[in-house]
Amino acid sequence: MTSADSGLLRALSSGTSSTRLRAALAAGTHPHPDYLGTLIERCAIEPDFFVRDMLTWALTRLPARDVTPRVLTELTSEVPQARSQALHTLSKIQERSVYPAITGALLHDADDEVARAAWRAAAGLVPQDAAAALAAELVTELGRGDRTVRMSLSRALAVLGDVIEPALRTAIDSDDPNVSEHARVTAILYEDPDTGFDAAVAEARGAALADR
């Protein structure tokens, strides 16, 4: 490794986010196998969202055959951010053979960011013949979390297509009002993707009142 390469890797741990961002950009612009370990390590601890996204981009610039095995090991990390960024990176690499690595434990992770990343990655990588099973798994998370979490789950379910309809119908009849409302919202968004999430919530609540 040249002194310039060493300097770039040191810059990734700078106390200034703009310096780290430039370093991540440089790592992706001029990819080198020696950067792989440091990029993955930084993903687990980088506090700035934009830098993390650039780190992921830099990883995708390296050969997938080298990156994917290293990223997969991060899925079992005790650090939530390591798991979520690994899932995000896998979704960008788009190597569908890794789908089985997105386990139920990740889909139901107690950390919202990990779960959201798992939902997005799974929906994007699932084989067609496993989509219905994934839909059944994801609907058990309906009603979870705040607006951001619920919107992520609705979007992930919508990606799966028609296979979500039976599970959503069952969830709409749930005794839990949060689950029922979220299922209605998801059904609305699936039927009309141009509907905003808040508008779908308002429509779902109106429909629930009309059904009483």
Side-chain angles (χ1 to χ4, degrees):
M1 184 183 298
T2 67
S3 58
D5 292 337
S6 298
L8 185 148
L9 295 179
R10 285 196 301 273
L12 287 171
S13 59
S14 167
T16 305
S17 61
S18 59
T19 300
R20 299 195 304 275
L21 183 64
R22 287 193 298 271
L25 174 61
T29 303
H30 305 288
H32 192 285
D34 287 345
Y35 300 162
L36 178 56
T38 299
L39 290 172
I40 290 176
E41 290 170 8
R42 286 303 307 178
C43 280
I45 59 176
E46 171 55 52
D48 186 278
F49 169 82
F50 296 103
V51 179
R52 289 199 303 273
D53 214 38
M54 192 66 76
L55 290 168
T56 288
W57 174 76
L59 284 168
T60 66
R61 298 274 292 157
L62 292 167
R65 65 179 182 275
D66 297 329
V67 177
T68 301
R70 293 289 301 275
V71 172
L72 285 172
T73 64
E74 296 294 288
L75 296 181
T76 56
S77 171
E78 295 183 358
V79 180
Q81 184 172 298
R83 300 196 300 276
S84 64
Q85 281 301 119
L87 287 159
H88 179 59
T89 302
L90 291 172
S91 73
K92 295 298 183 182
I93 294 173
Q94 283 290 300
E95 175 52 67
R96 293 184 179 274
S97 66
V98 307
Y99 174 73
I102 307 173
T103 62
L106 291 167
L107 294 171
H108 305 298
D109 200 286
D111 186 278
D112 286 341
E113 291 306 308
V114 176
R116 291 176 64 212
W119 301 337
R120 289 192 299 268
L125 298 174
V126 64
Q128 186 174 0
D129 61 0
L134 177 60
E137 189 88 19
L138 292 183
V139 295
T140 65
E141 291 290 315
L142 287 168
R144 171 177 173 169
D146 60 14
R147 176 184 180 279
T148 300
V149 173
R150 295 187 184 193
M151 184 162 55
S152 291
L153 181 57
S154 292
R155 287 175 173 171
L157 281 164
V159 168
L160 299 179
D162 293 346
V163 298
I164 68 173
E165 292 178 353
L168 284 183
R169 284 196 296 268
T170 299
I172 286 172
D173 293 332
S174 171
D175 292 333
D176 185 329
N178 289 318
V179 172
S180 178
E181 178 181 289
H182 194 184
R184 288 179 185 271
V185 169
T186 303
I188 292 166
L189 291 172
Y190 175 62
E191 291 296 329
D192 184 4
D194 292 330
T195 303
F197 186 78
D198 294 331
V201 170
E203 184 177 339
R205 290 175 179 173
L209 288 173
D211 288 345
R212 290 178 182 175

